[in-house]
């Protein structure tokens, strides 16, 4: 395990724009407030979504495409640098009208309505490719 102390530098709340991409909105917020690292939670609803499931045998992400309105019952993630870009690693629990849930790594989703809370850390976090998992993990 690698770890480091972090201090909260600032916190923001934001309303995500209807029709925009869910993850891109969070990355835009991080860029706007110049966040080198952070942690966020969010909730709301989306018009569609693409979740990814990481297969630990194949070392591949497999997409789960959902073309339907869904509630974002819970969304959690973090901000760190991936190469030259701020990456919002985003996971979500989405729900259907009957309450059935679908969950996973959220790659993309079209915002219907969204509210986010971002905690910005004073420190910077970076990702680097990890040989064992074939994932981009924190240094
Ligand atoms: Zn993930």
């Amino acid at each position: 395990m690698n770890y480091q102390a972090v201090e909260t530098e600032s916190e923001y709340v934001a309303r995500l724009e209807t029709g925009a991409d869910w993850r891109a909105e969070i990355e835009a917020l991080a860029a706007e407030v110049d966040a080198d690292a952070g942690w966020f939670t969010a909730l709301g609803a989306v018009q569609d979504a693409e979740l990814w499931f990481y297969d630990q045998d194949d070392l591949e992400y497999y997409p789960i495409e959902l073309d339907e309105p869904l509630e974002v019952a819970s969304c959690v993630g973090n901000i760190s640098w991936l190469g030259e870009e701020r990456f919002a690693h985003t996971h979500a629990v989405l729900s259907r009208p009957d309450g059935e849930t679908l969950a996973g790594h959220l790659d993309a989703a079209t915002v219907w309505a969204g509210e986010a809370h971002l905690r910005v850390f004073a420190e910077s976090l970076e990702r680097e490719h990890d040989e064992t998992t074939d994932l981009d993990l924190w240094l």
Side-chain angles (χ1 to χ4, degrees), residues 30-76:
E32 185 88 19
V33 302
D34 213 20
D36 290 323
W39 205 273
F40 64 86
T41 56
L43 56 82
V46 293
Q47 301 171 58
D48 54 36
E50 185 171 322
L51 298 175
W52 286 1
F53 180 81
Y54 193 70
D55 187 301
Q56 296 175 23
D57 293 320
D58 296 356
L59 302 182
E60 292 272 359
Y61 277 110
Y62 291 110
I64 303 155
E65 288 177 24
L66 303 162
D67 190 18
E68 59 191 290
L70 297 156
E71 200 81 10
V72 181
S74 182
C75 174
V76 64

